[in-house]
Each structure stands twice: as C-alpha cells, then as structure tokens.
Amino acid sequence: MKTILQANKISKTYGKKGTAKYTAINNLSFEMKEGEFIGIMGPSGSGKTTLLNMVATLDPLTDGEITIDGISVSSMNEDQLSDFRSQNLGFIFQDFNLLENMTVFENIALPLSLQNKKLDKIQSSVHQVASLLGIGDITEKYPAELSGGQKQRTAIARALIHEPTLLLADEPTGALDSQNAATLLDTLVDLNEERKVSILMVTHDPRSASYCSRLLFIKDGKLDRELFPSGTRDEFHQEILAVLGDLDRIPLAGVRS
Amino acid sequence: MILKLALNGLKKKQRDYAILFTGLIISIAVFYMFLTLSLNKEFILQNSVINNIQLVFLVGTVMLSVITFFYLFYTNSFLLSLRKKEYGLYELIGAKKLQIRRVFQIETMAITGISLIIGLILGIILSRVVSWVLMNQLNIGFIQFKVVYLPAVFWTVIYYLVTSFITSSIHNLWLAKISIIELLRSEIQNDLLPEKPKNAALMIFLGLFLLAIGYVALYFMETLRFIGLFTAPIATTLGTYVLFVALLPIIVRKWKRNKKVNFKGINSFTSGQLNFRLSSLKWVLATIALLIALSAGAIAGGFAFKNDAFTSIDEHWQYDATLYNPGAAEMAVLDSIPVEEQLTYRMKLDDEFIYLVLDELNAAPPLIRDMVTYEVVRPDPLPEELEIEGGSQIVSDQWFTALYAINPALGGTKSTRIVPLEEYELAEGEEISIVLARTADFSAHIEEWQKLDELQMDIYPDLVTGFDPETDSVATKYAQFKTQYAIASGTFFMGFFLGLAFLTMMASILMFKILSGANNDIRRYDSLRKLGVRRRVLENSLSRELFIVFLFPGILGLLHVFVGMRMFTFIMDEPYYRLWVSILIFLAIYGGYYFFTIHLYRKIVLPKQ
Ligand SMILES: Nc1ncnc2c1ncn2[C@@H]1O[C@H](COP(=O)(O)OP(=O)(O)OP(=O)(O)O)[C@@H](O)[C@H]1O
Ligand SMILES: [Mg+2]
C-alpha cells in the first residue's frame, strides 16, 4: 500500500510575537496509507481541528513537514496551495459550508467548474455522484430548502466529485441526528471500501468513530495512542468508550510555554 | 442603562453608520452653502448681478430639501434595520417598548446632530471656496458676503432636525407595533430565495410603456407644458421601478440558463451571488437609477447653462462691441484685437427724434438675425421715402431689428427718423458717432469687451438721461453677457453641487445596502478559499458582481439624462452641448464609488492572512 499522507514532527504554535504563545500541536508524527479510514479523537481543545486544518493546507505549520501523495505542502505559496486543495483534497465540514446562493447542482459541480472541465463531463459526473448519494432528485433546489442530512450529502458529493486523493472531514455528523449520522457513515464506509477513497475524519462521537479502520487519540497536541478495530463494530465502540474514559481522567488542554 | 448598551451597539456598527451619514453630511454642507449664497442680505443689496444668482441657489435649496427628505426617510429605515435585532434583545431582557423607542429617537437625533456639526463646518468651507471661485470668475467683489451667516445656520439646523424628527417618529410608530419575535428574527430574513417573477412579460411591457410615456413627455415638454411637467417625472419614476423589479431577476435567470458559461470557473458562484443580490436590491437599484438621473442631470444642466451664456449671447448680438462716441482709448482697444467688421454710423439727437442717415444705412447695413427665418442676414436697402404712421416711420421687421442693434442704448427712448443726408445736415442737435465691431469669437476677447464697457461708462451719463454709473449698466453685448454669465455660473455651481449631493446620497445608500450584506458573504468566500479557489479569482468574481450591480442603474439613469436634457430646450439653445464632459465628470465620481465599494468589500470578505 502506498503512503498518501505523512506528517513528520509537525507543530503548531498560536500567538504572535509578544503575546502569550500556545502550542496546540506539539511534535506530532503519523502516516496514512491509501484507502485508510482514519478517525481522530481527543478531548475538546486537544488540537484535532488544528491538525486537520494543517493537513488541509489551510493553516501553515510552525514546524515539521507534511507530505501528501509525495508532494511536500510546506514549501508551496498561496496560489499553489489553492490549486493543490482544489485538485487533491475534498472537504466536509460540520456546518456543511454549502454556498446558499447556488443550487445543489451548482454546488456539487463547483470543483469541476473550477478546473474548467467540459460541460458534458461536469453534468454526467454530477448526476453520477448525486445519485450515488441519493440526492439525484433535488439537484435544482437551493441549500435553504434542504434537510440537514441532504445538505451533508450534498457536501459529500461536492467533496468527492473531483476524485480527490484525500477526503477530510471535521465532525461531519455533528449537526445530524443519529439516524442521519448512521446513513452518512455507511456512505463514507461504502466510499472507502468500494471506491478506495482515503478518509481522515475528526469526531467527538464514539459511535461515529467505530466506523473507522484506525483511530488516533490526541491529547495536549500529542499523539496519545492508536486503536485498531478487532471484533465487531459494537465491540470497537465499547473499546473506544473505555479509552475516552481513561483520557478524560487527566486534565485536558495544551502546553503553555 | 439601555442607552449605554445602545451606545455600545452603535459603536460596533460604526462603518455602516459612517457610510450612511456621509450622504447626510454632504447634503447638509451643500444645503448650508446654498442658503448662505441666497440669504446674505447686505450682499444682495450691494450687487445687482448677484441678485439673480441668489434666486438660482434658492431653487437649488428647495430641490435639495425635497430629495433630502426622502433620503433621510430611507436612511432612517436602514438605521432601524441595523438595530432591530439588538432592540429585540433589549426587550427580551426586560426593556420596555417605550424605552426602546426613546433610545431609537435619541440615537437618530444624536446622529443628525453630529452630522449637522460636521456638515456645517464643511458647508462654511464650501461657501468660502465657491464664493471665491464665483468672485474670480465674474470679476466682481463679494464685499459684504459673510461665510458664517447665522440665518443660514439657523435654517439648516431647523430643517434637518425637524426632518429627522419626523422620519424617526414615523419609524417609531412602526416600532411600537412590531412584535418582539419579529425584531429578533429580522436579521435571519436576509437571504430570501429569489422568487420566480410573476407575469414578467406583462410587467416588462408595462415598465417599457410607462418609460415610453415618460420619455415622450420629456421630449415634447415644450409643447406639452404643464401636462408634460407632471407626466414626465411620474411616468418615468414608475416605469423605472416596474422595469427593474421585473427585468433584473429575468436577466440573471437567462444568464444562468447558458450552462456552458455558467459552469465555467467561478461563474456559477458569481451569477448565484448576482441572482440573490439583484432580486433583493431591485427596489434600491431603481431608486439609485433615479438619483443618478437627477445627479447627472443636475451636473449636465448646470454645465449646459454655463455654455448657453456664450451661445445665446451670440444669437442675439451680431456685433461684439457697440461704442458711442468712441475716443482714442476705445479705438486703441479695438485695434488690439482682430476685428472682422467695423461699421460707423452717425446720429443726431434733438428733443423729439433720433436722426440717422439713410445713405449710410443703405451703404453698410448691419448683420442681423432674422426673427422669422432665424438666419443671419443684412436687411434689404431702405426705400427713399419712408411712410410715417402714428408719429413713427414704418420700416421692415429686419430694419427694425437692425436699428436696435445700431442704437441699443437710446433706440427705445425717442422715435427714430431715417433721413437723407441733406436733411440730416439741417437737423439740430449734437452729433454722436456709433461704432459697431465684430470679431470671429466673442468669448476670446472678454477682457477687451470689459475694458470697452468701462470706458463707455464715462460717456453714458452725458448720453442717457438719469444714467447712474453706480447702479446702471451700459447697453452692450458684454454687459448682457455678464449678467447672463453670472446666472449661468451660479446655475453651474448649483447644478454641480446639487448633483454631488444627490450622488453622495445615492452612493451611500448603495454602498450601505451592498456592504451590510457583506457579513453574510464572509462565510461564503471563506468556504471558497477552503475549496481551493485562488484569491485573485475571488477578487475578480467580486469586482464583476459589483460591476453589474453598479451598471444597471448607471445605464438607465444616464438614459434618463440623455432624454431628459431635451427638456431644457425651452430655456436654452443647446442643452446637449458637450454633454459628454458632464457625463465624464459623473462617471469619474460614480466609478470612484464603485472602486471604493470594492475596496471595502474586499477588506470585509477577503481579509489578508
Ligand atoms: N486561531 C487560534 N489562535 C489561538 N489559539 C487557537 C486558535 N485556534 C485554536 N486555538 C487553540 O488551540 C487549541 C486547539 O484547538 P482545536 O480547535 O484544534 O481543538 P479541537 O480539538 O478541535 O477542539 P474541539 O473538540 O472543541 O473542536 C485550543 O486550546 C484553542 O484554544
Ligand atoms: Mg474542533
């Protein structure tokens, strides 16, 4: 298996010169193989979102190096990063981040439009992804007319349409009820297993985490432990709950320096 | 307590307030300047030329106050919309409706008060500058002119305070009726889905029809008179609103239907933005189009007036100088400029008649403008014998005009007798010589004409009974030009500043409307950035979007001006003369606002990292 993501001793320190510094991610390293479905867990404020944003090239690193699909992202300028994101990454956010002034169809098509793909190709791709996600009949609606689950599926369709190397998700189930969350995670698992989409997902929810093929636990900006599923999903769920209970006993938050 | 909270809330929205109130401040400054120029009492008494200008500025004041009233009403409703949610929160934590209403009124009055202070200071500076420029242009001293004129200050303060009291009271009544839930919800309602236009074809047709009526009324204003004066503004205004409301959503819809274009690059986002923006701004944009028409019209009107002072003076006076008994000084001045034609006539005055020599007139008939054909001609020779009827000689219409051109100062005072040379020699009375001179370009030698008029001032008291050099002016082309030019310069400034005031008001409305939507856009632009859209692409999308928003009212507003300028044919000869200059001035200012809006917008939605 190819390595698609490599984080090498990365650190993130917030705060400008003169103000109090705060290290949200501290000398953290991990690797991700193609086709993995990795979950990132940890207490609130432990640095999960920060880590994801660094991988997403949205937040510059203070130290260390990130390589995605063999390309080091630390050395790129703003425009190169933009292009990199639009071609290699797909995003799903907790609050969907759909563009309300565009129809579902336009939202999904956006990544392809940005790459100036032919109209035929765009239309067939959108139809394909939309029907894959079960939103084929609402493509002419605006986001304001959709339910939470439909919005999230639209967001996934948009994140997938350009066949990114890596799909990044920050608490994608956070705004969904358990029914919709389960459907969403089933979809992600399907995508991961059948289409070999690599997924990196931040989540608070142990139920959601149990769908992953590997879990990273972050504490105080450091990798605390890893967890692999061994038995059924329910057993994995129990295991996760145990680990979280363990983590919670220790005070959270990062390191002041 | 509530007042303190409100003050904090006010501070948070500083930018929106600043934008809204630049329009108000400029309006106050211009209002004050107009009033000072038209009310300065001692100044009026001192100067006859100024007398005419003052009326012009008074008209300007009236026009400005009407538009300002609507502007204040509009901005006051914006003010309320900015604060609705906050007021709802106050009510939620137990403030009484009455308290909130009082807070709103105090806020409005306070803002007006602050604007008044700044506006008046600006107005004083403006009066200083404008009076100075006018003084130089007209070559007259503004001796008794007071820049800080208390009656003008008084009326400005009264007008603005009363108007904002009225407008805020009206909104206050509305505030009293509205429920707390509606107040709290008001901010969420920003992004309504653009509705499908109903009966769009019919509406567009109606809009065009109304516009056509308005334009016809504008175009034939001269014949329609009062009917036109009422029909034109009403039909044009209605037409503009109907057309914008029906047409704008349709245009974007059509646009989006072109999938090839829509799904290219960021176009789908840009047109999506426009779709929402145009349908939520259609009413505002129609208003903007009308304000643009008014402001560009005011600027162009003032400009045309100023030019008209030159063209119309040439219509009525074929000869640039008419000199009575010119001495060596006068002739020296004439010699210093390229005179194309110079005519000399003799004239004798007795108690009853003015005598002119028939042969001299026939030998050198002066150029005149025929009152019927409007062409410049020389009258046909006079017959040897002229009939006398009711005590005056009967001459052709052309000669009637010619006699006035030859003898403008005395022509009307006594009956004229055109007689053969022998008879003229026998006549009693002192002989006066009259010299007419014509150059190719009257406006090129203004200084010389002025000098000649000054020299003639010494001669007129002996010539015209009761002539007082202190108050009366000589009967020359230049003297008439001077009066006309003073009025025209006054009108020019009035038009320009009126236009400027309208333009700032319109820009502040438009910028406010656009920028208050910007906060909703922050998230959108951030999402796009995350999705990997380059900053430049986002900047371009934003510029294009706002360009369209500025474009539509600009086009229709200017179209109104192009048609509307014709209305002025009944007071001037060439209302379209160099219209492009005024249009350019307008476009420069309007363009400035466009770029400024883009700049502010970028700062909000695309902050530098
Ligand atoms: N822009 C910033 N400036 C300063 N500190 C920040 C910034 N963003 C995050 N932090 C800090 O870094 C730490 C990690 O934040 P992060 O958002 O990564 O946490 P998280 O693990 O995603 O938490 P949650 O589970 O609540 O979402 C927090 O203590 C936060 O206060
Ligand atoms: Mg987070």
Side-chain angles (χ1 to χ4, degrees), chain A residues 159-232:
Chain A
L160 285 179
I161 191 155
H162 56 302
E163 299 177 344
T165 327
L166 182 57
L167 189 63
L168 301 169
D170 192 353
E171 302 193 22
T173 55
L176 300 180
D177 60 32
S178 55
Q179 179 70 45
N180 270 314
T183 322
L184 173 80
L185 287 158
D186 284 332
T187 315
L188 287 182
V189 170
D190 277 356
L191 288 167
N192 175 247
E193 286 173 356
E194 275 153 42
R195 302 179 123 222
K196 301 283 170 252
V197 180
S198 314
I199 304 173
L200 186 62
M201 174 176 83
V202 167
T203 183
H204 255 130
D205 172 32
R207 180 86 242 161
S208 303
S210 66
Y211 285 75
C212 297
S213 63
R214 174 154 65 119
L215 283 180
L216 304 177
F217 288 87
I218 309 265
K219 210 185 77 185
D220 300 342
K222 287 184 177 156
L223 194 59
D224 190 79
R225 65 187 85 174
E226 275 182 89
L227 205 61
F228 292 90
S230 43
T232 63

Side-chain angles (χ1 to χ4, degrees), chain A residues 14-15 22-25 42-51 59 94 170-171 202 204 253-254 256:
Chain A
Y14 286 114
Y22 184 79
T23 305
I25 292 290
S44 184
S46 57
K48 304 180 295 291
T49 299
T50 307
L51 175 63
D59 234 353
Q94 175 177 353
D170 192 353
E171 302 193 22
V202 167
H204 255 130
R256 303 226 169 250

Side-chain angles (χ1 to χ4, degrees), chain B residues 220-335:
Chain B
F220 296 106
M221 186 72 87
E222 218 171 342
T223 20
L224 291 171
R225 302 266 152 172
F226 266 108
I227 304 173
L229 219 52
F230 280 103
T231 319
I234 293 174
T236 314
T237 306
L238 280 178
T240 308
Y241 278 109
V242 173
L243 203 61
F244 264 80
V245 169
L247 198 58
L248 287 186
I250 298 275
I251 290 177
V252 187
R253 226 160 256 272
K254 278 265 147 61
W255 224 319
K256 295 201 81 157
R257 214 158 285 161
N258 184 347
K259 292 219 166 91
K260 263 233 164 61
V261 178
N262 196 33
F263 288 102
K264 193 143 182 253
I266 195 147
N267 285 356
S268 58
F269 173 73
T270 315
S271 62
Q273 284 281 84
L274 270 174
N275 192 15
F276 275 70
R277 180 148 279 156
L278 288 184
S279 58
S280 71
L281 287 188
K282 54 197 175 192
W283 291 98
V284 176
L285 291 183
T287 311
I288 298 297
L290 291 170
L291 273 175
I292 285 177
L294 282 181
S295 66
I299 295 176
F303 220 75
F305 250 104
K306 187 151 182 189
N307 167 64
D308 194 60
F310 286 101
T311 49
S312 76
I313 201 79
D314 285 335
E315 293 272 313
H316 301 300
W317 297 74
Q318 302 313 313
Y319 292 87
D320 301 337
T322 315
L323 305 171
Y324 288 91
N325 282 340
E330 277 101 329
M331 295 321 275
V333 174
L334 276 189
D335 283 342

Side-chain angles (χ1 to χ4, degrees), chain B residues 8-44:
Chain B
N8 270 333
L10 217 141
K11 265 192 205 138
K12 254 183 251 147
K13 298 196 161 164
Q14 250 171 1
R15 190 199 63 222
D16 299 284
Y17 283 102
I19 290 170
L20 270 187
F21 290 96
T22 43
L24 182 58
I25 289 172
I26 297 290
S27 153
I28 292 172
V30 173
F31 191 90
Y32 172 79
M33 179 193 77
F34 284 2
L35 272 186
T36 340
L37 282 170
S38 56
L39 293 185
N40 254 282
K41 220 187 239 143
E42 297 76 13
F43 178 51
I44 308 178

Side-chain angles (χ1 to χ4, degrees), chain B residues 496-510:
Chain B
F496 183 78
F497 282 103
L498 203 59
L500 194 71
F502 290 164
L503 208 60
T504 15
M505 288 191 223
M506 98 69 231
S508 81
I509 292 176
L510 187 56

Side-chain angles (χ1 to χ4, degrees), chain B residues 71-84:
Chain B
Y71 174 74
L72 273 173
F73 191 83
Y74 224 50
T75 49
N76 201 245
S77 76
F78 288 163
L79 213 68
L80 189 58
S81 73
L82 273 181
R83 316 276 282 153
K84 269 190 212 162

